[in-house]
Amino acid sequence: MEKFSVSVNIAANSNVTFVLTHEELLQRKMGQYEVLTRVKPKQPIQEFQIVANIYEPQGISYVDTHATFLSNELLPLVEKTVTEKKAHIAFSPSLEQQRKCPGCGETLLDGDFIINYDVNRATSLGDIQIINGYFVHFFAPPNLARVPTNVVFVIDRSGSMWGNKIRQTREAMLAILEDLKEEDYFAIILFDDQIDCWKETMTKATKENLSEAQEYIKSLSDRGGTNINDALLRGVRMLLTDKAEKRIPARSVDMIILLTDGMPNYSETNPKKIQANMHAANSGNMSLFSLGFGNDVDYGFLNVLSQENKGLARRIFEGSDATLQLKGFYDEVSSPLLSEVNLRYPDNAVESLTTNHFSQLFNGSEIVVAGRLMDNKLDNFLVEVVGQGFEEDFQVQSQTSALDWGTIYPEEEYIFGDFTERLWAYLTIQQLLEKSKSGTMDEKSNATARALEMSLQYNFVTPLTSMVVTKPETEDKTDSPLIANKMTEEERQRADRFSGLAHHGYSSPTYLVDGDPHFVIELPDKDDALCFNINDKPGTIFTLVEDTKSGILVNGQIIGDKQIPVDGKINTYFWRFGIIHKSFGVRLEVSTTSISMLEDGKRVNLQWYNTTSLKGDNVDILLTKDRSLTITLKDSVKFLILLHKVWKDHPFHRDYLGFYTLDTHLLSPSVHGLLGQFYHGIEYEVTNLRPGEVPEKPDATMFVKGHELNVTRGWQRDFRRDVKNGENITCWFIHNNGTGIIDGEASDYIVSGLFKTV
């Protein structure tokens, strides 16, 4: 999905309507096209309708409609009419039909509305459409024999694959091995900082071998670092050696499927060097397909790596269906029909061709080529397609001619008017964008400039452009256009990663301790905040959160400066936290140098210099390199720990940590601790505002917990948005280690160990 941000000002009591026109080249996969509409309105809609009209000159072979939210009540509301070349689908539930219950505000519409269909494929040449001097060639020949494959599975088992990822990988691999054909050969290479091969050569996919391989996969577990470079090169050597020694068929397709969730951090770690090593070792002999698991993987690195080796990359999104995504991708590429496919057109008739050479054509997929005709009046031209099949070479040629789609579909002329030209432009831009990521500096620069020029000419939103939002003309002419900024991949990941972490606009309060150590209690319902400092000697361990009912405990240990500064004041900071969830069997130790997690007796060690994520049964962890650690306990509180790195040769200061809590309303009323006691709010009253010692920091009198305190209006820093500089939060500062606002004294919260309560 793409994400856009649009900001507009709307006058009071007025209406505004946004109309978004979306164009998409449907990709044929598994023998069908899919039109997917994500439906998540969050509330019943006064006028809701989905209407789809399909026009296919080749003829429609079938149409299937389904949705993840269609109940027995909603299913009859889907109207479907299909003729030889047209299909009409409509879904328009009334306001009451959308409701989960009579009169309530919850909606049944929550999921995906999906239309799948395919077209008749009578000729081996495919379908060629010529309109207004541009042509598009859709090539998907029927009735071809499958070519055997030699596939090496290169699987990441590093520590970041812990939890759901490794489990889902096991499940997917067991299903994939079940589907291998007996004429195929396969190998399994597991890697972390070490490389382990199931067998040293390719193995024929007999029932006995597959059964043995499945037993091997069942023992797959996570450990260690990420040595992508050596694992890939081992797979290349295995394929090349077995091919040279004729242990695998000569007329077969070689491929490597890489599954990883992280950045290389062992052996060769430079992505560009890994790409160069792989390209040099491969020499164009095999295809590399890369599957990037999760949000933290460097997808750009995998994408270039695959494209330089006759393959493609695919992102696998974490979730309950990740196993199906992995299996589905393999199903797409596991049945090659042709290799080295070339689509040829007369040199004297066609120019500005999009890519017309393809390494493979897979069963159920489709090749699309577009180009511009030199003579707009050309009526016939010769088309030829050649490729390598399983038993013999494939070759077909024929002449084609332009059709008047306006006559064939007079009512839908607007659809066919210039679609071939826009499709040609779209494919050209996509290929230029790919070239802009590889090649020499001049080639990258030229490709980028040309892609930008065409994007602006044809009004395409690309990573190089923004979406222009125009307002209807008024008596004062058209208003200035608005720009809707498209998020880059990095921005999208960051938005997903940190959504809900910024205090602005977050629905529940945040409680934090950061700096020397400054405690901040946000109170959104009062549009205010309270803050206090806790000072003690370095090495002291405090209880920050203790919820005996849920079994959650968080302790923190402070550390002092390297030496006493000239002013004699010793600054202390939190540098280590111990987190326990007894009910889940979870224990984490987080320090400025490392992270260690124990869940149900299994330990995982992480380092701050990596970006990674772990998804367990009861706890999720998201580690952003040298920045932050997000810990989400199932159905409970979320903790965010920030790493503040200090110049290592600084004469006084050390690295330290900040601790932030979210979703605290999910804890029990008995929660306590230096932070925990404030999770369910605090009542206070501030009066008698008066000048303080510093003009910009007035004093006041606060009545809280039966005490009358002198407080000062000041500010503390929130570092969630900016780890280096932070943002000021204005608050009422309580002096003397929080005396009067915390229960008891600060010394009451001192414990003897990082995971102890006394």
Side-chain angles (χ1 to χ4, degrees):
M1 294 179 67
E2 300 288 2
K3 289 190 177 181
F4 300 90
S5 59
V6 186
S7 297
V8 295
N9 293 322
I10 304 172
N13 299 316
S14 64
N15 296 322
V16 62
T17 301
F18 288 95
V19 179
L20 176 66
T21 300
H22 169 76
E23 292 177 287
E24 179 182 356
L25 172 61
L26 296 182
Q27 300 288 335
R28 187 171 185 257
K29 296 176 183 177
M30 307 300 292
Q32 62 184 10
Y33 300 103
E34 180 179 271
V35 182
L36 183 148
T37 304
R38 184 139 292 164
V39 182
K40 290 182 175 291
K42 305 297 184 183
Q43 61 184 6
I45 303 297
Q46 187 69 39
E47 295 182 22
F48 179 93
Q49 59 178 332
I50 296 175
V51 178
N53 293 302
I54 300 172
Y55 306 94
E56 289 290 352
Q58 289 177 262
I60 299 172
S61 61
Y62 78 94
V63 177
D64 176 59
T65 303
H66 61 283
T68 56
F69 55 80
L70 283 181
S71 60
N72 291 334
E73 294 79 16
L74 293 177
L75 191 60
L77 303 179
V78 179
E79 302 174 9
K80 184 170 70 173
T81 304
V82 182
T83 61
E84 183 183 358
K85 296 183 178 182
K86 295 183 181 182
H88 174 82
I89 298 99
F91 176 61
S92 183
S94 67
L95 191 64
E96 290 306 315
Q97 288 169 330
Q98 298 171 44
R99 299 186 193 276
K100 276 190 175 181
C101 50
C104 70
E106 296 182 76
T107 178
L108 294 168
L109 309 184
D110 185 9
D112 298 332
F113 188 87
I114 302 167
I115 301 171
N116 294 118
Y117 77 96
D118 200 14
V119 301
N120 297 322
R121 302 182 185 277
T123 67
S124 297
L125 186 66
D127 180 40
I128 300 175
Q129 299 180 16
I130 304 172
I131 303 173
N132 295 339
Y134 291 83
F135 78 91
V136 178
H137 185 183
F138 301 94
F139 176 68
N143 306 320
L144 290 181
R146 176 184 179 274
V147 179
T149 61
N150 312 307
V151 56
V152 179
F153 298 100
V154 180
I155 302 173
D156 187 347
R157 63 172 180 194
S158 61
S160 58
M161 288 287 288
W162 175 87
N164 276 340
K165 290 181 185 176
I166 205 75
R167 177 183 60 78
Q168 290 167 330
T169 299
R170 278 197 303 266
E171 293 173 356
M173 280 302 301
L174 291 174
I176 288 170
L177 291 171
E178 191 76 32
D179 285 351
L180 283 176
K181 306 296 187 293
E182 190 161 352
E183 64 268 20
D184 294 337
Y185 284 74
F186 73 103
I188 301 171
I189 297 177
L190 307 181
F191 73 92
D192 46 277
D193 49 301
Q194 299 179 4
I195 313 298
D196 288 330
C197 299
W198 172 53
K199 294 188 177 181
E200 293 301 322
T201 62
M202 303 294 295
T203 303
K204 190 173 176 61
T206 62
K207 288 185 178 180
E208 294 77 10
N209 289 334
L210 291 174
S211 178
E212 184 181 343
Q214 287 177 318
E215 291 302 314
Y216 179 73
I217 286 295
K218 287 177 183 177
S219 65
L220 176 62
S221 60
D222 57 281
R223 68 184 201 191
T226 308
N227 186 357
I228 293 177
N229 183 78
D230 294 347
L232 287 176
L233 295 182
R234 179 74 67 87
V236 171
R237 286 197 301 272
M238 188 182 295
L239 279 168
L240 292 177
T241 301
D242 281 20
K243 203 90 170 187
E245 297 179 2
K246 299 182 179 179
R247 285 197 286 263
I248 52 181
R251 212 173 182 93
S252 57
V253 171
D254 301 333
M255 65 176 69
I256 295 174
I257 296 181
L258 167 68
L259 170 65
T260 182
D261 77 329
M263 283 288 289
N265 60 22
Y266 191 86
S267 184
E268 181 56 66
T269 60
N270 185 332
K272 292 188 179 299
K273 185 64 175 174
I274 296 173
Q275 291 163 354
N277 290 345
M278 183 62 186
H279 188 61
N282 183 7
S283 300
N285 291 294
M286 60 200 69
S287 297
L288 170 64
F289 299 99
S290 301
L291 301 177
F293 208 143
N295 286 332
D296 301 319
V297 70
D298 188 344
Y299 185 72
F301 156 61
L302 296 181
N303 196 29
V304 173
L305 182 67
S306 296
Q307 289 179 358
E308 289 181 345
N309 292 278
K310 299 168 54 177
L312 55 90
R314 181 74 57 81
R315 185 183 293 283
I316 302 298
F317 294 95
E318 292 184 65
S320 60
D321 67 338
T323 299
L324 295 176
Q325 294 177 56
L326 291 166
K327 176 64 166 59
F329 175 82
Y330 179 75
D331 289 342
E332 288 180 38
V333 301
S334 62
S335 296
L337 303 178
L338 296 174
S339 60
E340 305 304 327
V341 184
N342 287 285
L343 295 88
R344 300 169 182 166
Y345 312 91
D347 292 337
N348 61 351
V350 174
E351 62 181 358
S352 301
L353 269 181
T354 60
T355 299
N356 64 325
H357 171 80
F358 299 85
S359 301
Q360 293 101 12
L361 170 68
F362 297 102
N363 186 34
S365 66
E366 182 177 61
I367 287 174
V368 182
V369 178
R372 186 166 54 196
L373 303 180
M374 293 181 182
D375 184 355
N376 288 351
K377 297 180 180 179
L378 180 69
D379 189 51
N380 297 288
F381 73 112
L382 185 68
V383 178
E384 181 182 33
V385 182
V386 297
Q388 297 176 11
F390 175 34
E391 297 176 340
E392 58 184 11
D393 289 342
F394 175 89
Q395 183 173 5
V396 62
Q397 63 178 24
S398 179
Q399 284 195 332
T400 188
S401 59
L403 297 175
D404 185 354
W405 298 108
T407 301
I408 298 174
Y409 296 118
E411 296 178 358
E412 289 78 40
E413 185 178 1
Y414 73 97
I415 294 177
F416 300 100
D418 64 350
F419 96 91
T420 50
E421 180 178 357
R422 292 188 60 75
L423 185 48
W424 164 80
Y426 169 78
L427 291 173
T428 302
I429 291 169
Q430 295 303 309
Q431 291 161 17
L432 287 169
L433 290 173
E434 296 302 337
K435 288 181 182 178
S436 70
K437 300 173 185 175
S438 58
T440 65
M441 289 299 295
D442 285 345
E443 289 171 341
K444 291 180 180 180
S445 178
N446 291 336
T448 301
R450 179 63 178 144
L452 175 58
E453 178 187 353
M454 292 188 66
S455 299
L456 295 173
Q457 179 183 352
Y458 288 94
N459 295 320
F460 282 127
V461 179
T462 68
L464 306 175
T465 59
S466 294
M467 180 169 66
V468 178
V469 182
T470 59
K471 297 180 181 179
E473 287 195 7
T474 64
E475 293 180 1
D476 299 325
K477 302 300 180 183
T478 305
D479 289 333
S480 298
L482 301 166
I483 301 298
N485 292 316
K486 177 183 177 182
M487 294 181 180
T488 65
E489 176 71 5
E490 180 182 358
E491 290 168 338
R492 184 194 68 76
Q493 291 183 33
R494 189 162 61 243
D496 288 344
R497 201 174 288 151
F498 292 102
S499 60
L501 295 185
H503 63 273
H504 296 294
Y506 193 72
S507 58
S508 65
T510 301
Y511 308 86
L512 64 96
V513 54
D514 212 332
D516 175 28
H518 307 306
F519 289 75
V520 180
I521 315 303
E522 282 191 340
L523 303 166
D525 57 330
K526 297 179 181 291
D527 194 23
D528 206 348
L530 308 178
C531 52
F532 57 91
N533 291 353
I534 296 291
N535 297 303
D536 211 296
K537 62 182 182 295
T540 303
I541 301 173
F542 293 101
T543 294
L544 302 180
V545 183
E546 184 178 11
D547 188 354
T548 54
K549 186 172 182 180
S550 66
I552 293 176
L553 174 71
V554 180
N555 290 337
Q557 186 175 28
I558 57 176
I559 192 172
D561 283 332
K562 296 175 184 176
Q563 55 181 305
I564 300 176
V566 178
D567 61 9
K569 180 182 182 297
I570 299 178
N571 296 301
T572 56
Y573 311 88
F574 280 103
W575 78 281
R576 197 160 68 113
F577 294 109
I579 302 172
I580 291 177
H581 196 310
K582 291 182 180 178
S583 303
F584 292 164
V586 173
R587 175 182 290 208
L588 291 103
E589 181 176 341
V590 183
S591 73
T592 53
T593 57
S594 63
I595 298 122
S596 175
M597 183 172 76
L598 189 69
E599 183 179 17
D600 292 332
K602 188 172 184 179
R603 184 176 299 278
V604 176
N605 296 314
L606 304 174
Q607 301 296 327
W608 281 103
Y609 56 70
N610 279 334
T611 290
T612 189
S613 64
L614 303 177
K615 198 171 185 66
D617 294 332
N618 297 307
V619 60
D620 293 347
I621 285 182
L622 177 61
L623 173 62
T624 302
K625 178 181 178 181
D626 289 336
R627 187 188 193 283
S628 65
L629 176 73
T630 304
I631 303 161
T632 304
L633 298 171
K634 182 181 179 183
D635 300 326
S636 188
V637 68
K638 176 185 291 185
F639 299 127
L640 172 68
I641 298 175
L642 298 184
L643 173 64
H644 298 275
K645 294 185 72 67
V646 177
W647 173 45
K648 67 178 181 179
D649 294 325
H650 196 288
F652 302 112
H653 303 320
R654 307 175 189 265
D655 293 351
Y656 66 95
L657 301 174
F659 183 81
Y660 299 71
T661 57
L662 302 169
D663 296 334
T664 52
H665 62 284
L666 297 174
L667 293 175
S668 76
S670 63
V671 64
H672 208 262
L674 277 175
L675 276 178
Q677 63 187 282
F678 300 104
Y679 285 171
H680 296 294
I682 182 170
E683 294 299 325
Y684 64 93
E685 182 181 347
V686 176
T687 62
N688 190 24
L689 190 67
R690 56 192 180 273
E693 293 184 10
V694 180
E696 63 269 21
K697 295 183 177 180
D699 285 348
T701 300
M702 176 180 288
F703 297 93
V704 58
K705 293 186 175 180
H707 302 288
E708 181 178 328
L709 308 177
N710 180 64
V711 296
T712 301
R713 194 62 171 172
W715 57 83
Q716 299 291 10
R717 293 201 178 274
D718 181 339
F719 292 91
R720 278 171 292 174
R721 290 179 181 268
D722 185 344
V723 174
K724 183 178 180 181
N725 301 309
E727 296 177 319
N728 287 335
I729 296 179
T730 55
C731 59
W732 289 110
F733 183 80
I734 292 87
H735 304 273
N736 303 320
N737 277 2
T739 300
I741 194 172
I742 64 172
D743 294 337
E745 303 292 334
S747 58
D748 298 338
Y749 300 87
I750 296 176
V751 292
S752 59
L754 199 62
F755 297 101
K756 294 186 176 181
T757 56
V758 293

